[in-house]
Amino acid sequence: MTSLTWPGAALDRGRLLRLLQEYGVYAALVVLFAVAVGLDSSFLSTGNIRVQLYQVAPTLLVALGMSLVIGTEGIDLSVGATIALAASVVPLYAGYGLFAALAMALLLGAATGAVGGAMVAFARVQPIVATLSLMIGVRGLAEIVNGNSAKPITQSGLLDLGSRTLGGVPDMAWIAGVCALLTGLLVRRTTFGRQLVAIGDNRQASRLSGLPVRRVLITVYVLSGVLAALAGVLIVGHGAEADPANQGLNMELDAITAVVVGGTPLSGGRVRVLGTVAGALFMQLITAVLTQHNVHTSYTQIVEAAIICFAVYASQERGTR
């Protein structure tokens, strides 16, 4: 009797975990949105929706890069500092126009990612150690470049980038959406995407089969750095201020949360771009609901920690089956 019951129970539990990982974030997003509207009908107002899109766009950009890195069984803790570094150079080049400021920020983001990727690919430093050291060093560099003080931004091109809308939707959200689409195509439709997933699934086997492991690893960290730098420029444009001491703080944790909640396992070998988008929206919605009902930030962090623990548990439980 017992031998017939337990296998069935294990199967049901495994199927439940699989369903949770595949579709849980979408169901949770719908339920949370319904709760938010039920608690406060003004949540559906155009102004509020626009505010949420402004706030989620930078997080989504960083999370997209993070999902690629995590797909290779890595992690990038330097993205928050990369945002700060991008913010620090914007005032220096803003006088030459939007293109110059954007190009310099993205170049520095790519350089930061390349350093992290090279440490992982060539020196075989653990990703968490390599990017942790970068996080500390790059944050310090950003504050030195900026002179340890916040600087106002007055150039119209940058301010327009952070505040303008198209069809009622912030340009920032359009940019993040296009980046999400391109990231999805990169993962699903290109040889690079398949190599990325294969390396995350089994790096040693990928190396033995002749895949360009080092090149792929460096590329994903470069992409992560570029997307973080782009987020930094958008944050500066939206806030009309460059403040490297505070901008980008804890952004790496927000990005990791969105990726994990979206169903991309920390063990690598899989990238769920649409899930990352849903994960970023879900986490933004939780923050918005709790904030609008005057729940202290400390409790918000506890809720986020609990969600991360559950998402990681579901991922690991599935991986053992």
Side-chain angles (χ1 to χ4, degrees):
M1 180 67 182
T2 302
S3 61
L4 293 175
T5 303
W6 278 107
L11 179 62
D12 292 339
R13 188 181 174 206
R15 184 177 299 168
L16 177 61
L17 288 170
R18 181 174 60 81
L19 290 173
L20 279 174
Q21 192 177 41
E22 292 287 344
Y23 307 108
V25 66
Y26 307 112
L29 185 60
V30 172
V31 171
L32 185 58
F33 188 78
V35 170
V37 175
L39 292 175
D40 182 4
S41 58
S42 65
F43 195 87
L44 270 178
S45 67
T46 304
N48 183 62
I49 296 295
R50 193 173 294 151
V51 168
Q52 304 311 319
L53 291 175
Y54 274 124
Q55 294 181 349
V56 78
T59 305
L60 176 56
L61 284 171
V62 179
L64 291 171
M66 187 70 76
S67 68
L68 298 178
V69 174
I70 289 178
T72 63
E73 202 181 4
I75 199 140
D76 189 354
L77 298 181
S78 67
V79 287
T82 302
I83 288 175
L85 184 59
S88 71
V89 300
V90 167
L92 301 179
Y93 291 89
Y96 299 100
L98 171 63
F99 178 77
L102 183 61
M104 185 54 65
L106 297 185
L107 185 61
L108 285 175
T112 303
V115 172
M119 292 171 70
V120 173
F122 287 98
R124 300 197 179 184
V125 179
Q126 287 294 321
I128 193 170
V129 176
T131 56
L132 178 62
S133 62
L134 271 180
M135 179 181 74
I136 298 170
V138 172
R139 174 73 65 177
L141 177 62
E143 294 183 18
I144 291 172
V145 170
N146 198 258
N148 290 316
S149 62
K151 290 183 168 53
I153 300 296
T154 58
Q155 286 74 16
S156 58
L158 280 165
L159 298 178
D160 288 345
L161 186 65
S163 61
R164 196 169 46 198
T165 62
L166 176 63
V169 177
D171 284 4
M172 294 171 61
W174 282 114
I175 292 171
V178 169
C179 288
L181 178 63
L182 294 176
T183 304
L185 292 174
L186 179 72
V187 173
R188 293 278 186 178
R189 303 290 185 184
T190 68
T191 301
F192 175 82
R194 290 190 288 274
Q195 291 173 340
L196 181 161
V197 172
I199 290 169
D201 187 47
N202 191 325
R203 186 172 302 182
Q204 183 63 17
S206 299
R207 188 175 285 114
L208 292 174
S209 62
L211 294 185
V213 175
R214 287 174 174 170
R215 188 174 69 197
V216 171
L217 287 176
I218 292 175
T219 302
V220 296
Y221 282 90
V222 167
L223 290 174
S224 178
V226 169
L227 287 168
L230 177 58
V233 175
L234 296 181
I235 290 172
V236 169
H238 183 63
E241 181 183 71
D243 183 10
N246 295 299
Q247 288 168 338
L249 284 177
N250 297 325
M251 186 63 88
E252 58 278 351
L253 301 181
D254 293 340
I256 293 170
T257 303
V259 173
V260 174
V261 169
T264 297
L266 286 172
S267 55
R270 192 179 188 200
V271 179
R272 297 189 67 202
V273 175
L274 187 58
T276 297
V277 175
L281 291 172
F282 178 73
M283 299 309 297
Q284 174 60 34
L285 206 52
I286 284 183
T287 302
V289 170
L290 295 179
T291 301
Q292 290 181 0
H293 291 82
N294 300 318
V295 177
H296 195 273
T297 307
S298 302
Y299 293 99
T300 304
Q301 292 172 334
I302 292 173
V303 171
E304 290 180 354
I307 292 170
I308 294 172
C309 289
F310 179 77
V312 171
Y313 166 76
S315 173
Q316 289 183 337
E317 279 292 297
R318 187 188 172 194
T320 60
R321 295 174 186 282

